[in-house]
Amino acid sequence: MKMNLSTKPKVLSLFSGCGGLDLGFHQSGFDIVACLEIDKPSCETMTANLGSHLSSTTKIHNKDITTTQPAELSLSDVDFIIGGPPCQSFSAAGRRAGGVHGVNDTRGSLFWYYCKFVDFYRPKGFLFENVKGILQANNSSDWELVKSSFVELGYRLNFAVLDAADYGVPQHRERVILVGCRQDVGRDFKFPQPTHGPRGRITDSYVTPLMAFEDISDPNEQKHKINGKYGELIPDIPAGMNYSYYTEKLGHPNPKFAWRSKFSGFLYKLPKDQPSKTLVASPGKYDGPFHWHNRKLTVPELQRIQSFPGDFVFPENTGQAIKQIGNSVAPKLAFELAKA
């Protein structure tokens, strides 16, 4: 039974990106009353999906949260807040680029503004999403600070590391999910049981790329050839493997690389029968996943790997679309969290 709009819990979305988290909450019956996002192309993507995948009444605010006061959004009341502050300073990529700066980093400190909005609106609860690296940043002191800050605001906390593949996403994508319930609400949050995989309540199998591409695959597509320094290596790499195929450790007769000399996404070819590795927002020329037909994935294929509906509108600019998809929360995971 559909809820009347007036009875739907009202949600404020912060750091919305292109709307992956918002889509899952909208699909499960929440009313996303407003989204706050600094990136203009991401706001344009959300706007393009209003009325189809997001409510036509959702207000999209293309603003910088560091210069926006909560009252400026003119919201009468907010039942729930969702969002994942930019996480590069906690991520594996961020660590490789220059160490883990955590909450001392400009991007990490955006967490404080999330707290500011929670403190102002006092929602019944909130959902905070981030990369797994936040748990170890600065010898775990950052994570302890995050938790204690929410506790001081009067919220009971539950958190877990969830893999999107366990919830029907054809991609292994681990994220920390922290849910806070206001002390006077009198209930705690219980994380949803996996729907897929060994512990799945629906099936013990995962959704695979082959399954995800079923409606857009060309059965007559020919294998491609990629030019460039490493392009000639890609055709021989088996589906599901990466550059390590060309290492002495795995028995290659003419090794090209030392074991563990590259990142796992380098020359990574998508498997057909198991979830993909984690998509990234800014892949290099030889970073995968490559299709088993020896080419880069198309935007429609990438959005299915991230579990976006096929008719969700992304920018015509391929680079922008790849960035937005790679930075987003998988909507199917968001949907299961929202239902819970």
Side-chain angles (χ1 to χ4, degrees):
M1 182 177 68
K2 290 187 177 180
M3 289 185 286
N4 183 282
L5 183 62
S6 62
T7 67
K8 291 184 177 182
K10 292 177 168 54
V11 177
L12 168 61
S13 170
L14 305 176
F15 308 100
S16 306
C18 67
L21 195 54
D22 311 69
L23 174 57
F25 271 74
H26 171 75
Q27 290 175 330
S28 68
F30 285 78
D31 180 18
I32 312 294
V33 293
C35 299
L36 182 61
E37 170 56 48
I38 191 173
D39 183 58
K40 184 177 180 180
S42 294
C43 289
E44 291 172 348
T45 296
M46 284 191 288
T47 300
N49 288 282
L50 293 179
S52 54
H53 293 292
L54 296 170
S55 171
S56 59
T57 60
T58 299
K59 302 298 182 185
I60 309 297
H61 297 278
N62 182 200
K63 293 176 176 287
D64 181 349
I65 196 171
T66 67
T67 58
T68 302
Q69 295 301 318
E72 291 178 37
L73 302 188
S74 302
L75 300 175
S76 57
D77 65 295
V78 171
D79 297 307
F80 208 77
I81 289 179
I82 61 175
C87 53
Q88 290 92 334
S89 52
F90 301 120
S91 70
R95 294 197 297 273
R96 293 195 295 266
V100 180
H101 304 293
V103 294
N104 298 313
D105 181 276
T106 303
R107 294 160 299 188
S109 65
L110 291 173
F111 152 74
W112 297 114
Y113 294 94
Y114 189 107
C115 287
K116 181 178 179 179
F117 276 73
V118 170
D119 190 33
F120 180 85
Y121 283 107
R122 307 296 301 163
K124 296 182 179 68
F126 66 84
L127 184 148
F128 173 90
E129 177 267 348
N130 222 290
V131 293
K132 194 167 65 167
I134 193 175
L135 299 178
Q136 286 81 41
N138 293 323
N139 295 317
S140 299
S141 61
D142 284 0
W143 182 237
E144 294 305 316
L145 184 59
V146 166
K147 291 190 296 181
S148 63
S149 299
F150 285 128
V151 169
E152 288 173 9
L153 292 178
Y155 288 83
R156 294 191 309 281
L157 308 178
N158 288 279
F159 75 92
V161 176
L162 302 184
D163 183 351
D166 290 336
Y167 298 91
V169 180
Q171 174 191 181
H172 285 299
R173 189 179 187 89
E174 290 188 314
R175 290 295 185 266
V176 173
I177 305 295
L178 183 148
V179 177
C181 296
R182 206 174 62 204
Q183 290 283 1
D184 63 316
V185 171
R187 66 177 62 183
D188 286 321
F189 176 77
K190 292 184 179 180
F191 282 93
Q193 181 186 341
T195 57
H196 293 69
R199 297 180 295 125
R201 67 174 188 268
I202 295 176
T203 175
D204 59 2
S205 301
Y206 289 118
V207 176
T208 68
L210 192 63
M211 295 162 63
F213 296 168
E214 187 175 11
D215 67 322
I216 54 173
S217 292
D218 177 3
N220 299 315
E221 180 179 355
Q222 301 298 307
K223 296 209 171 194
H224 297 251
K225 181 178 181 181
I226 295 179
N227 297 321
K229 184 177 180 181
Y230 299 113
E232 64 180 17
L233 302 180
I234 294 173
D236 287 342
I237 296 176
M241 292 192 69
N242 57 10
Y243 79 94
S244 62
Y245 172 74
Y246 285 101
T247 61
E248 182 179 10
K249 185 177 180 67
L250 292 189
H252 198 277
N254 184 23
K256 306 289 185 183
F257 308 102
W259 182 250
R260 292 185 176 173
S261 61
K262 302 286 185 182
F263 302 132
S264 64
F266 187 69
L267 301 182
Y268 169 63
K269 188 177 288 186
L270 199 66
K272 295 181 180 181
D273 57 356
Q274 58 185 326
S276 168
K277 291 181 183 292
T278 303
L279 296 182
V280 298
S282 301
K285 181 177 180 180
Y286 297 107
D287 291 329
F290 289 92
H291 196 280
W292 47 83
H293 287 307
N294 306 324
R295 58 168 172 77
K296 287 280 192 175
L297 298 185
T298 64
V299 169
E301 288 167 345
L302 288 168
Q303 70 186 78
R304 283 163 174 77
I305 291 293
Q306 193 71 305
S307 78
F308 279 93
D311 59 347
F312 192 90
V313 179
F314 280 101
E316 292 184 11
N317 182 299
T318 300
Q320 268 295 334
I322 291 171
K323 178 181 177 182
Q324 292 179 21
I325 293 169
N327 278 331
S328 67
V329 175
K332 280 192 176 179
L333 171 60
F335 176 74
E336 293 298 333
L337 286 166
K339 284 202 303 181

